[in-house]
Amino acid sequence: MDLPRTIFEVIDMRSFSNLWFWIALAVMWSTASHWVIGVPWDLVLRARRKGGAQQQDVEDLARIYTRRLLFIGRVSGTWLMGLVAGSLSGLWVLGFWYGIQFCQAVFLLLAPMSLVALLSLRAARRIEAGEDTGEALYRRLRAHRFTTQAIGLTSIFFTAMWGMFQNLSASVLGN
């Protein structure tokens, strides 16, 4: 008995009908909305309620991750933009032009996250420019989290619709 063949027969390896793809999608967006520019959201909520040491922790973490993001952006931002744009373009062509479902799935995971990365850089610049303490920092983190969640909700909805379309097409065509 051939174990890999048995696994592929038992588990449907098409991306959109695979449970692991949907788990990865949910975990990715849950993590992205919990860690706002490197600061855990529960710590932000606690800091707003209690202040003191928690507020200092939020400000320290925001300062550390802001400097880290901006350093990466300033040192290798052009190269990273080219690499990400080239990779996303390649995935789009392979996925949607040539119909490779795995590339479609990876594109639908990475394209919205690249937008979140750009928005994180923008938020980091604003934090560095003066929104780095107290209520101004909380407002910036809350706005960034809300935007991330909106992108995630839209992404999950579009991915679910596309995945259902792909699954229905595969079942109708008998692929």
Side-chain angles (χ1 to χ4, degrees), residues 54-149:
Q54 284 88 4
Q55 180 174 345
Q56 188 62 43
D57 290 345
V58 168
E59 291 172 358
D60 290 343
L61 280 173
R63 188 175 50 255
I64 290 166
Y65 282 104
T66 294
R67 273 193 264 144
R68 183 174 180 260
L69 279 174
L70 292 175
F71 174 77
I72 292 169
R74 289 174 182 145
V75 170
S76 56
T78 305
W79 286 100
L80 282 174
M81 281 293 290
L83 182 65
V84 168
S87 298
L88 287 175
S89 298
L91 285 169
W92 186 87
V93 168
L94 289 170
F96 297 100
W97 186 263
Y98 289 107
I100 300 172
Q101 198 176 98
F102 178 76
C103 293
Q104 292 172 4
V106 174
F107 179 84
L108 291 172
L109 288 173
L110 296 181
M113 283 306 291
S114 64
L115 180 59
V116 170
L118 289 174
L119 292 173
S120 295
L121 274 173
R122 187 180 87 175
R125 284 192 188 108
R126 289 183 177 176
I127 290 171
E128 183 188 49
E131 297 178 359
D132 58 346
T133 57
E135 197 56 39
L137 177 61
Y138 298 146
R139 236 183 309 132
R140 175 59 43 210
L141 293 175
R142 186 174 48 249
H144 183 63
R145 182 172 192 253
F146 179 79
T147 306
T148 300
Q149 287 177 326

Side-chain angles (χ1 to χ4, degrees), residues 16 21-22 25 108 154-164:
F16 297 111
F21 171 76
W22 297 105
L25 181 72
L108 291 172
T154 305
S155 171
I156 290 169
F157 176 77
F158 182 75
T159 302
M161 292 299 112
W162 185 256
M164 283 191 289

